[in-house]
Short mmCIF file of all heavy atoms in Angstrom, two decimals:
data_model
loop_
_atom_site.label_atom_id
_atom_site.label_comp_id
_atom_site.label_asym_id
_atom_site.label_seq_id
_atom_site.Cartn_x
_atom_site.Cartn_y
_atom_site.Cartn_z
N GLU A 278 29.69 24.21 -30.89
CA GLU A 278 29.36 22.98 -31.59
C GLU A 278 30.59 22.07 -31.74
O GLU A 278 30.49 20.85 -31.56
CB GLU A 278 28.79 23.31 -32.97
CG GLU A 278 27.36 23.78 -32.95
CD GLU A 278 26.39 22.65 -32.78
OE1 GLU A 278 26.24 21.81 -33.71
OE2 GLU A 278 25.76 22.55 -31.69
N ARG A 279 31.70 22.67 -32.07
CA ARG A 279 32.93 21.89 -32.20
C ARG A 279 33.36 21.28 -30.87
O ARG A 279 33.83 20.14 -30.79
CB ARG A 279 34.06 22.76 -32.78
CG ARG A 279 33.80 23.22 -34.23
CD ARG A 279 34.79 24.27 -34.61
NE ARG A 279 34.44 24.91 -35.89
CZ ARG A 279 34.94 26.02 -36.33
NH1 ARG A 279 35.92 26.64 -35.62
NH2 ARG A 279 34.55 26.57 -37.48
N LYS A 280 33.24 22.11 -29.80
CA LYS A 280 33.58 21.63 -28.48
C LYS A 280 32.70 20.43 -28.09
O LYS A 280 33.18 19.44 -27.57
CB LYS A 280 33.40 22.77 -27.46
CG LYS A 280 33.76 22.40 -26.04
CD LYS A 280 33.61 23.59 -25.10
CE LYS A 280 33.91 23.21 -23.67
NZ LYS A 280 33.73 24.40 -22.77
N TYR A 281 31.39 20.55 -28.36
CA TYR A 281 30.48 19.45 -28.07
C TYR A 281 30.83 18.22 -28.89
O TYR A 281 30.81 17.07 -28.38
CB TYR A 281 29.04 19.86 -28.39
CG TYR A 281 28.06 18.71 -28.39
CD1 TYR A 281 27.59 18.14 -27.19
CD2 TYR A 281 27.64 18.13 -29.60
CE1 TYR A 281 26.73 17.07 -27.21
CE2 TYR A 281 26.78 17.09 -29.62
CZ TYR A 281 26.33 16.54 -28.44
OH TYR A 281 25.45 15.50 -28.44
N ALA A 282 31.19 18.42 -30.14
CA ALA A 282 31.54 17.27 -31.01
C ALA A 282 32.77 16.54 -30.49
O ALA A 282 32.81 15.30 -30.49
CB ALA A 282 31.77 17.76 -32.45
N ARG A 283 33.77 17.29 -30.01
CA ARG A 283 34.95 16.66 -29.44
C ARG A 283 34.60 15.88 -28.19
O ARG A 283 35.06 14.74 -27.96
CB ARG A 283 36.01 17.70 -29.14
CG ARG A 283 36.67 18.29 -30.39
CD ARG A 283 37.94 19.06 -30.02
NE ARG A 283 37.66 20.23 -29.19
CZ ARG A 283 37.39 21.44 -29.69
NH1 ARG A 283 37.43 21.65 -30.99
NH2 ARG A 283 37.17 22.46 -28.88
N LEU A 284 33.73 16.48 -27.33
CA LEU A 284 33.30 15.77 -26.09
C LEU A 284 32.54 14.50 -26.42
O LEU A 284 32.71 13.45 -25.88
CB LEU A 284 32.43 16.72 -25.29
CG LEU A 284 31.78 16.12 -24.01
CD1 LEU A 284 32.89 15.63 -23.05
CD2 LEU A 284 30.86 17.13 -23.36
N ARG A 285 31.62 14.65 -27.43
CA ARG A 285 30.84 13.48 -27.86
C ARG A 285 31.70 12.37 -28.34
O ARG A 285 31.54 11.20 -27.96
CB ARG A 285 29.86 13.92 -28.95
CG ARG A 285 28.98 12.80 -29.51
CD ARG A 285 28.37 13.25 -30.83
NE ARG A 285 29.42 13.54 -31.82
CZ ARG A 285 29.21 14.28 -32.87
NH1 ARG A 285 28.06 14.84 -33.08
NH2 ARG A 285 30.23 14.51 -33.74
N ASP A 286 32.71 12.70 -29.18
CA ASP A 286 33.59 11.67 -29.72
C ASP A 286 34.41 11.01 -28.61
O ASP A 286 34.64 9.80 -28.61
CB ASP A 286 34.57 12.27 -30.73
CG ASP A 286 33.82 12.72 -32.01
OD1 ASP A 286 32.70 12.30 -32.18
OD2 ASP A 286 34.41 13.51 -32.78
N THR A 287 34.85 11.80 -27.62
CA THR A 287 35.57 11.21 -26.48
C THR A 287 34.71 10.25 -25.71
O THR A 287 35.16 9.15 -25.33
CB THR A 287 36.06 12.36 -25.56
OG1 THR A 287 36.93 13.24 -26.29
CG2 THR A 287 36.83 11.80 -24.37
N VAL A 288 33.47 10.62 -25.45
CA VAL A 288 32.56 9.74 -24.69
C VAL A 288 32.28 8.46 -25.48
O VAL A 288 32.30 7.37 -24.92
CB VAL A 288 31.24 10.48 -24.40
CG1 VAL A 288 30.20 9.52 -23.82
CG2 VAL A 288 31.49 11.64 -23.43
N ILE A 289 32.05 8.62 -26.79
CA ILE A 289 31.76 7.43 -27.64
C ILE A 289 32.93 6.46 -27.64
O ILE A 289 32.76 5.24 -27.49
CB ILE A 289 31.42 7.85 -29.06
CG1 ILE A 289 30.04 8.56 -29.10
CG2 ILE A 289 31.38 6.64 -30.00
CD1 ILE A 289 29.66 9.13 -30.43
N ARG A 290 34.17 7.00 -27.77
CA ARG A 290 35.31 6.12 -27.75
C ARG A 290 35.42 5.39 -26.43
O ARG A 290 35.73 4.17 -26.41
CB ARG A 290 36.58 6.94 -28.02
CG ARG A 290 36.73 7.36 -29.48
CD ARG A 290 38.17 7.84 -29.75
NE ARG A 290 38.47 9.03 -28.98
CZ ARG A 290 38.25 10.27 -29.39
NH1 ARG A 290 37.75 10.47 -30.60
NH2 ARG A 290 38.59 11.33 -28.62
N GLY A 291 35.16 6.09 -25.33
CA GLY A 291 35.26 5.46 -24.03
C GLY A 291 34.21 4.36 -23.85
O GLY A 291 34.49 3.28 -23.32
N LEU A 292 33.00 4.59 -24.35
CA LEU A 292 31.91 3.62 -24.22
C LEU A 292 32.20 2.40 -25.08
O LEU A 292 31.93 1.26 -24.68
CB LEU A 292 30.59 4.25 -24.62
CG LEU A 292 30.08 5.36 -23.67
CD1 LEU A 292 28.84 6.02 -24.25
CD2 LEU A 292 29.76 4.76 -22.29
N VAL A 304 34.92 4.16 -33.54
CA VAL A 304 33.71 4.16 -34.29
C VAL A 304 33.93 3.61 -35.70
O VAL A 304 33.06 3.00 -36.31
CB VAL A 304 33.17 5.65 -34.41
CG1 VAL A 304 31.97 5.72 -35.32
CG2 VAL A 304 32.83 6.16 -33.01
N ASN A 323 25.62 4.81 -29.81
CA ASN A 323 25.81 6.24 -29.62
C ASN A 323 24.57 6.90 -29.04
O ASN A 323 24.64 7.64 -28.05
CB ASN A 323 26.14 6.93 -30.94
CG ASN A 323 27.48 6.46 -31.52
OD1 ASN A 323 28.23 5.80 -30.79
ND2 ASN A 323 27.73 6.81 -32.73
N LEU A 327 24.54 7.87 -25.00
CA LEU A 327 24.61 9.29 -24.77
C LEU A 327 23.36 9.83 -24.08
O LEU A 327 23.42 10.68 -23.19
CB LEU A 327 24.81 10.04 -26.10
CG LEU A 327 26.22 9.92 -26.71
CD1 LEU A 327 26.23 10.64 -28.06
CD2 LEU A 327 27.27 10.50 -25.78
N TYR A 332 24.31 13.36 -22.11
CA TYR A 332 25.12 14.20 -22.98
C TYR A 332 24.31 14.74 -24.17
O TYR A 332 24.88 15.44 -25.00
CB TYR A 332 26.32 13.43 -23.48
CG TYR A 332 27.42 13.30 -22.44
CD1 TYR A 332 27.59 12.06 -21.76
CD2 TYR A 332 28.21 14.35 -22.07
CE1 TYR A 332 28.54 11.90 -20.81
CE2 TYR A 332 29.19 14.19 -21.12
CZ TYR A 332 29.35 12.95 -20.50
OH TYR A 332 30.30 12.81 -19.52
N THR A 333 23.03 14.40 -24.28
CA THR A 333 22.24 14.93 -25.43
C THR A 333 21.36 16.03 -24.99
O THR A 333 21.14 16.20 -23.79
CB THR A 333 21.41 13.80 -26.06
OG1 THR A 333 20.54 13.25 -25.06
CG2 THR A 333 22.28 12.71 -26.60
#
Side-chain angles (χ1 to χ4, degrees):
E278 283 283 291
R279 294 169 191 166
K280 181 179 178 181
Y281 168 78
R283 289 194 296 268
L284 175 61
R285 179 195 61 199
D286 292 345
T287 300
V288 171
I289 290 174
R290 285 194 297 269
L292 293 173
V304 174
N323 294 348
L327 286 177
Y332 285 102
T333 59

